[in-house]
């Protein structure tokens, strides 16, 4: 019975994300051979969210649309398979920086896109230009083995230009860039605008947040040895866990 229920859930898809299963995804090229699972990060989301929006509300619609958007950029390899965006117009802007195209985000990864900054290198806690898609996701899934959840806190305007407030959170349960985990919640919040077309596909996404909120939690733990870092990273990368902002292997859980 449990196996039948699991199979039925897979056919229906994820309750927070579209474009994972179904006829429209038969030709999709997945980064790791098939659609990811989100059990762990969805559990984290449900246990830690501060808002539970009514079904069908604008807030729920925006929240689920952005979860689908992040899923596509984190797990699909071709822009033509990303159905949440208008590929001809899409741009992502972070803290007023130059916009990134869909192709650039697929290459960089959502973490590297989110964390690009103009600070002098000696003040950069994380250097996106020195990271690949794979290394960035490995770093964050080691740090957040249960995933990095996000929610919509408020929606101020409706389409075609949606303005909303968001919150991102996870638990520091693995090392990050030479710092030991604390077991504490790491979170940050921000504001965003989302411009959509007549089919509600994203054309522009602008995110504004303070990176110090995020790194204050990530770097709170004391420095640890390289050998300990490697041991913890290998241990956590083999654990089941839950864009951006994941264990990205078919049938395992993924981050937001």
């Amino acid at each position: 019975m449990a196996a039948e229920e699991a199979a039925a859930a897979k056919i229906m898809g994820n309750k927070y994300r579209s474009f994972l299963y179904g006829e429209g995804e038969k030709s999709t090229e997945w980064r790791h051979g098939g659609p990811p699972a989100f059990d762990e990060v969805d559990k984290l989301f449900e246990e830690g969210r501060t808002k539970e929006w009514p079904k069908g509300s604008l807030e729920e619609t925006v929240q689920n649309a952005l979860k689908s958007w992040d899923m596509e950029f984190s797990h699909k390899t071709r822009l033509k398979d990303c159905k949440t965006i208008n590929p001809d117009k899409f741009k992502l802007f972070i803290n007023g920086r130059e916009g990134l195209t869909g192709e650039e985000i697929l290459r960089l990864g959502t973490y590297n896109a989110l964390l690009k900054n103009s600070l002098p290198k000696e003040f950069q806690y994380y250097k996106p230009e020195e990271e690949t898609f794979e290394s960035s996701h490995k770093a964050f899934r080691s740090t957040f083995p249960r995933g990095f959840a996000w929610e919509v806190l408020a929606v101020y305007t409706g389409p075609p230009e949606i303005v909303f407030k968001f919150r991102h959170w996870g638990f520091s349960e693995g090392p990050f860039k030479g710092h030991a985990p604390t077991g504490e919640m790491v979170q940050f919040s921000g504001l965003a605008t989302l411009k959509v077309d007549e089919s509600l596909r994203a054309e522009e996404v602008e995110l504004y947040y303070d990176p110090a909120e995020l790194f204050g939690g990530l770097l709170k733990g004391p420095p640890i040895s390289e050998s300990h870092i490697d041991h913890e990273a290998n241990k956590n990368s083999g654990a089941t866990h839950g864009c951006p902002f994941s264990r990205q292997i078919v049938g395992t859980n993924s981050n937001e």
Side-chain angles (χ1 to χ4, degrees), residues 126-182:
Y126 177 90
K127 301 179 175 63
E129 70 279 2
E130 296 179 6
E131 303 284 347
T132 64
F133 183 108
E134 290 75 16
S135 69
S136 66
H137 279 258
K138 181 179 179 181
F140 279 90
R141 69 174 176 258
S142 295
T143 302
F144 300 125
R146 286 189 283 158
F148 198 26
W150 91 275
E151 67 172 335
V152 164
L153 297 175
V155 176
Y156 302 111
T157 64
E161 185 165 344
I162 302 164
V163 179
F164 62 96
K165 185 177 182 180
F166 66 91
R167 169 179 169 252
H168 233 317
W169 77 97
F171 286 87
S172 171
E173 296 169 329
F176 182 81
K177 298 298 181 182
H179 288 262
T182 63

Side-chain angles (χ1 to χ4, degrees), residues 192-249:
T193 63
L194 170 64
K195 293 181 181 178
V196 297
D197 64 14
E198 63 277 1
S199 300
L200 297 182
R201 297 180 303 169
E203 294 187 337
E204 288 186 9
V205 178
E206 297 186 42
L207 301 178
Y208 298 90
Y209 76 102
D210 182 359
E213 273 194 276
L214 172 62
F215 287 111
L218 289 174
L219 304 176
K220 188 176 180 180
I224 52 179
S225 69
E226 287 296 326
S227 60
H228 183 77
I229 293 170
D230 291 340
H231 172 74
E232 289 296 317
N234 289 333
K235 181 175 70 175
N236 283 331
S237 66
T240 300
H241 84 94
C243 202
F245 7 4
S246 73
R247 250 187 101 198
Q248 298 178 352
I249 303 175

Side-chain angles (χ1 to χ4, degrees), residues 1 5 13-14 28 31 42-43 74 79-81 94 98-99 106 108 121 124 162 165 173 178-179 185 210 218 226-227:
M1 186 66 177
E5 290 176 353
N14 181 274
T28 293
R31 193 169 292 276
D42 285 350
K43 182 180 179 183
S74 294
L79 198 63
K80 68 178 184 179
D81 292 329
I94 305 294
E98 183 179 354
L106 285 177
L108 293 170
K121 289 220 171 179
Q124 290 187 23
I162 302 164
K165 185 177 182 180
E173 296 169 329
H179 288 262
M185 180 186 290
D210 182 359
L218 289 174
E226 287 296 326
S227 60

Side-chain angles (χ1 to χ4, degrees), residues 24-126:
E25 302 310 317
K26 283 190 173 180
S27 63
T28 293
E29 286 191 4
W30 296 96
R31 193 169 292 276
H32 294 276
F38 291 90
D39 298 10
E40 286 293 319
V41 74
D42 285 350
K43 182 180 179 183
L44 179 69
F45 165 72
E46 289 164 1
E47 292 175 347
R49 61 185 169 185
T50 61
K51 306 285 186 179
E52 189 167 354
W53 301 112
K55 190 169 181 61
S57 64
L58 177 60
E59 291 85 357
E60 186 205 46
T61 299
V62 172
Q63 185 168 263
N64 291 354
L66 268 292
K67 286 179 184 286
S68 298
W69 172 84
D70 184 68
M71 174 276 297
E72 290 199 304
F73 274 115
S74 294
H75 296 281
K76 296 180 178 182
T77 62
R78 302 183 303 187
L79 198 63
K80 68 178 184 179
D81 292 329
C82 295
K83 301 172 180 66
T84 56
I85 68 166
N86 181 334
D88 297 325
K89 295 185 177 181
F90 183 79
K91 284 285 185 74
L92 171 66
F93 301 85
I94 305 294
N95 288 336
R97 292 179 56 84
E98 183 179 354
L100 296 170
T101 66
E103 291 288 1
E104 288 174 316
I105 298 167
L106 285 177
R107 177 176 55 82
L108 293 170
T110 51
Y111 287 119
N112 286 334
L114 182 68
L115 295 171
K116 285 177 71 69
N117 62 80
S118 304
L119 290 171
K121 289 220 171 179
E122 61 268 27
F123 298 117
Q124 290 187 23
Y125 307 115
Y126 177 90

